């Protein structure tokens, strides 16, 4: 049941973009079309789960035993950048079609603070390896949900008659704020489920 709570909480209650405000750059930059947002979501999900797995192992078996916790951020950034490069090289050789589909999104993931944020959050929350992977996967789903919903809103806005002073980035930011407010409606779900199943 704890894993279900982590799953629901990471997608809806503590959405990485709309509640924790990490990954705003791709959220605003890659959300013009639904197909590009889906491609970015898939790439982020793959790298986020893989990066969380590797960084958890690095933290547990390298940094903690040798007292090098102060190198966490630098080590995690190096791991994420290396993983993205490795994934890019492997995809280029193994599946050129998938590489073409995700090619432009993979370099963007290196600078996506949501990936680094999740890697650090699982350590701060003191999750075990299984909980860390569930958290990373559900956070990636939450990121993809926010990105895809926002892309749909932006596509609809292109067809709408937006007042002249609100066109462009102004209406995009207002829409992002309204979407964030909508997700705040899930804020009590986490506590309600914990009370329901007696996990408090």
């Amino acid at each position: 049941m704890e894993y279900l709570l982590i799953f629901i909480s990471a997608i809806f209650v503590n959405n990485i973009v709309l509640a924790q405000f990490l990954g705003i750059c791709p959220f605003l930059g890659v959300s013009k079309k639904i197909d590009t947002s889906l491609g970015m979501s898939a790439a982020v999900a793959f790298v986020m789960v893989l990066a969380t797995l590797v960084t958890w192992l690095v933290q547990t078996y390298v940094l903690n035993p040798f007292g090098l916790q102060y190198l966490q951020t630098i080590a995690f950034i190096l791991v994420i950048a290396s993983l993205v490069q490795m994934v890019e090289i492997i995809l280029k050789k193994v599946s050129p079609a998938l590489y073409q589909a995700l090619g432009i999104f993979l370099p963007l993931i290196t600078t996506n603070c949501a990936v680094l944020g999740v890697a650090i959050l699982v350590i701060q929350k003191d999750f075990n390896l299984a909980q860390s992977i569930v958290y990373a996967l559900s956070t990636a789903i939450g990121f993809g949900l926010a990105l895809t919903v926002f892309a749909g809103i932006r596509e609809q806005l292109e067809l709408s008659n937006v007042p002249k002073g609100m066109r462009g980035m102004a209406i995009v930011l207002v829409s992002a704020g309204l979407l964030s407010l909508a997700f705040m409606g899930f804020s009590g779900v986490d506590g309600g489920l914990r009370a329901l199943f007696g996990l408090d």
Side-chain angles (χ1 to χ4, degrees):
M1 192 51 64
E2 189 66 36
Y3 293 101
L4 180 63
L5 287 173
I6 291 171
F7 187 78
I8 291 170
S9 177
I11 294 174
F12 299 109
V13 181
N14 297 314
N15 188 284
I16 196 81
V17 180
L18 301 173
Q20 300 183 53
F21 307 110
L22 294 172
I24 296 291
C25 183
F27 178 69
L28 294 175
V30 192
S31 61
K32 290 181 181 175
K33 295 191 178 294
I34 290 178
D35 56 346
T36 56
S37 67
L38 287 172
M40 182 65 170
S41 301
V44 165
F46 181 70
V47 172
M48 193 177 280
V49 172
L50 196 60
T52 302
L53 171 66
V54 175
T55 54
W56 188 91
L57 293 172
V58 166
Q59 179 76 33
T60 305
Y61 296 108
V62 178
L63 299 181
N64 288 348
F66 294 104
L68 300 172
Q69 292 90 340
Y70 60 92
L71 293 175
Q72 182 190 65
T73 305
I74 295 169
F76 285 12
I77 289 170
L78 290 172
V79 166
I80 291 166
S82 304
L83 281 173
V84 170
Q85 289 298 316
M86 186 183 72
V87 167
E88 199 169 352
I89 291 166
I90 291 170
L91 278 180
K92 197 171 186 179
K93 290 187 185 280
V94 174
S95 177
L98 187 60
Y99 174 76
Q100 288 297 325
L102 300 178
I104 57 171
F105 303 118
L106 284 170
L108 290 173
I109 296 168
T110 310
T111 57
N112 187 348
C113 60
V115 177
L116 177 62
V118 169
I120 292 172
L121 281 171
V122 296
I123 303 301
Q124 288 177 348
K125 291 174 183 281
D126 202 26
F127 284 158
N128 61 34
L129 184 58
Q131 289 172 327
S132 299
I133 291 170
V134 169
Y135 181 75
L137 180 62
S138 50
T139 301
I141 292 169
F143 177 83
L145 176 68
L147 198 64
T148 308
V149 168
F150 193 57
I153 291 170
R154 287 185 72 174
E155 282 188 1
Q156 190 64 38
L157 283 172
E158 292 293 322
L159 305 172
S160 302
N161 187 16
V162 179
K164 191 174 181 182
M166 291 294 290
R167 287 182 190 153
M169 194 49 70
I171 194 68
V172 169
L173 291 173
V174 169
S175 301
L178 291 172
L179 185 60
S180 182
L181 280 172
F183 267 70
M184 280 181 67
F186 294 113
S187 60
V189 171
D190 190 32
L193 286 174
R194 285 185 175 277
L196 180 66
F197 294 108
L199 294 173
D200 282 334

